[in-house]
Amino acid sequence: MEFKHDAQTIRRLSQTQYLSFEKKYIFLQLIIGLAFLAFAVLHQDDTALFTLFALFGCWLMISWKQIPLFRANKIVRQCGGAFPTTVYSFGTKGIKTSNDSSAMVPYTEIIRLVEDDEYVFLFINKEGAYMLRKPNNSSAFQKYLTEKTGLEWIKPRNVFFLSLKQLKAERNNTKK
């Protein structure tokens, strides 16, 4: 399989990484945003304070996507239009990757399998993943990787739509 990144895929990878591993920061940002909104309600008599607290609280509530977007845009600028292409070969013991150099990634080094509608993400740590377009035989491919890694596939979910059960399943389905 071959995969060529572009600005859009780098942004998607960054957002998926953030949703997959940084939920505590997203929750923290939401809680701080709610606190600012509460302060705004408490200071309704002072228009300036109310406006300041309300605007900042609302901004915190809706801006959680800015951190992964900032990180991705930094990488896009560093690439300067020369986005990497990686060729993947899936063997019995691991994945051989080839771009500027070659490497062999044993299946035991994959810590989490994530999928969305178009892509699969094979995380080797919290900051690094291999990204591929879903192949035509996606279910067979995903079953193969599940067998090789011992991990189940997870969908990146927005924290607004998570349950404690899903959080626990994600934690239990990630290698340390």
Side-chain angles (χ1 to χ4, degrees):
M1 299 176 109
E2 183 176 292
F3 186 77
K4 179 161 180 67
H5 274 287
D6 57 29
Q8 179 185 356
T9 62
I10 290 172
R11 289 182 187 105
R12 185 115 166 222
L13 175 59
S14 182
Q15 183 172 336
T16 300
Q17 179 275 332
Y18 199 69
L19 282 172
S20 296
F21 291 100
E22 306 298 344
K23 286 183 181 70
K24 62 185 168 217
Y25 296 114
I26 297 170
F27 280 127
L28 180 62
Q29 184 173 344
L30 295 175
I31 290 169
I32 293 170
L34 286 172
F36 272 94
L37 291 174
F39 281 123
V41 170
L42 294 174
H43 292 89
Q44 288 180 16
D45 54 328
D46 186 339
T47 306
L49 279 178
F50 173 79
T51 303
L52 182 67
F53 285 140
L55 286 175
F56 194 65
C58 288
W59 180 79
L60 283 171
M61 297 289 293
I62 63 170
S63 68
W64 64 268
K65 289 185 177 183
Q66 294 306 308
I67 293 171
L69 183 61
F70 175 79
R71 290 177 182 170
N73 286 338
K74 183 178 176 183
I75 293 168
V76 168
R77 282 191 304 276
Q78 288 172 344
C79 288
F83 297 103
T85 299
T86 305
V87 177
Y88 300 94
S89 299
F90 294 86
T92 57
K93 298 200 186 276
I95 305 165
K96 182 180 177 189
T97 62
S98 302
N99 45 29
D100 293 338
S101 61
S102 292
M104 179 62 140
V105 180
Y107 291 116
T108 56
E109 288 186 18
I110 297 173
I111 67 164
R112 186 178 279 182
L113 302 172
V114 178
E115 67 165 320
D116 66 16
D117 294 339
E118 295 179 60
Y119 301 98
V120 295
F121 306 85
L122 315 175
F123 282 92
I124 54 172
N125 58 48
K126 290 181 178 185
E127 292 86 29
Y130 295 108
M131 180 179 182
L132 299 113
R133 287 197 194 289
K134 278 189 172 178
N136 292 336
N137 58 349
S138 181
S139 59
F141 173 74
Q142 289 178 276
K143 183 179 177 186
Y144 177 80
L145 285 174
T146 294
E147 290 171 2
K148 292 296 187 179
T149 63
L151 298 168
E152 297 295 323
W153 289 89
I154 297 171
K155 292 194 181 290
R157 298 195 193 282
N158 187 321
V159 293
F160 294 113
F161 303 110
L162 272 178
S163 67
L164 290 176
K165 183 179 176 182
Q166 289 167 325
L167 283 171
K168 186 177 178 183
E170 279 187 17
R171 176 168 282 184
N172 292 338
N173 196 39
T174 301
K175 294 179 187 174
K176 302 288 180 206

